[in-house]
Amino acid sequence: MSTVLQNLQNSLDPLRRRYDSMADSERLVVNGIGVLVVLVLLFLILILPGQRAVDKAQMSLTAKQNLLSWMQDNEQLARMAAQGGTRSSRSDQPLQSIVTSTAPALGITVKRIEPESDDKLRVWLEKVSFDKTMRWLHQIETRYGVRIVNASIDADRAEGLVTAKLVLQK
């Protein structure tokens, strides 16, 4: 270890002699530059990484606060969905009335309707468009709070058409 220090001292000797041979004004400039270099190094090594860490933590905190706010705003909606769908736009209409009024509006012909209980209804659709059926089911679920308890959908020979047996509940 002492040889390393000896070698370092030997390499710095010419610089020390050069410094000693300078005029007082030149030494003042060199000392000022040295202080400036030390300050810049301190800034780059200590302050800048700390500032970046603080900025990153603030961004993370803001993102988490926004997420929490969104979750609190949508808490009721999530609770309703966990209980079986959104019921915020629930209608007072009887389930059979909802089915018979909304299906023809989307071009769906209901083949048969059979009440299963006060709040459940069996519905048969034959050779109807799959896309229209999905739109209709989404509409009665979101607008009227109707849940799809059971669905059996079979493809028809004609492309895009299906036969469906559904159990709907209000």
Side-chain angles (χ1 to χ4, degrees):
M1 181 95 163
S2 64
T3 58
V4 172
L5 290 175
Q6 186 66 32
N7 288 339
L8 181 61
Q9 189 173 8
N10 289 341
S11 62
L12 291 177
D13 275 341
L15 291 175
R16 184 173 300 158
R17 276 183 268 149
R18 172 81 175 147
Y19 180 78
D20 290 339
S21 69
M22 289 181 181
D24 287 340
S25 61
E26 290 176 331
R27 282 187 196 164
L28 188 60
V29 171
V30 170
N31 288 340
I33 292 173
V35 168
L36 185 65
V37 167
V38 168
L39 290 175
V40 168
L41 286 175
L42 282 174
F43 178 78
L44 291 175
I45 294 172
L46 298 176
I47 296 171
L48 191 61
Q51 184 73 31
R52 286 184 181 156
V54 168
D55 290 345
K56 185 176 177 182
Q58 285 176 338
M59 286 176 37
S60 176
L61 175 64
T62 301
K64 288 178 181 179
Q65 286 173 334
N66 289 341
L67 178 61
L68 176 63
S69 175
W70 180 85
M71 291 173 116
Q72 288 171 338
D73 291 344
N74 292 295
E75 176 184 14
Q76 191 63 30
L77 184 63
R79 288 185 190 278
M80 285 190 292
Q83 293 173 357
T86 58
R87 296 171 192 230
S88 59
S89 57
R90 189 166 220 198
S91 171
D92 291 336
Q93 288 181 302
L95 184 55
Q96 187 166 348
S97 173
I98 293 170
V99 170
T100 57
S101 66
T102 58
L106 287 174
I108 296 173
T109 305
V110 178
K111 182 178 180 190
R112 184 172 156 198
I113 297 175
E114 182 180 291
E116 190 172 287
S117 67
D118 290 342
D119 64 342
K120 280 188 184 177
L121 196 64
R122 286 188 183 274
V123 178
W124 283 265
L125 308 175
E126 193 170 284
K127 295 184 181 180
V128 293
S129 165
F130 176 77
D131 292 339
K132 288 181 181 180
T133 303
M134 291 301 111
R135 264 188 246 117
W136 175 64
L137 291 173
H138 181 262
Q139 180 186 51
I140 64 173
E141 185 177 36
T142 55
R143 289 188 186 167
Y144 301 97
V146 175
R147 283 190 22 214
I148 303 159
V149 176
N150 192 355
S152 173
I153 301 175
D154 298 316
D156 196 71
R157 290 182 186 205
E159 189 172 327
L161 299 181
V162 294
T163 299
K165 297 171 192 144
L166 309 165
V167 178
L168 306 174
Q169 182 177 11
K170 186 157 182 203

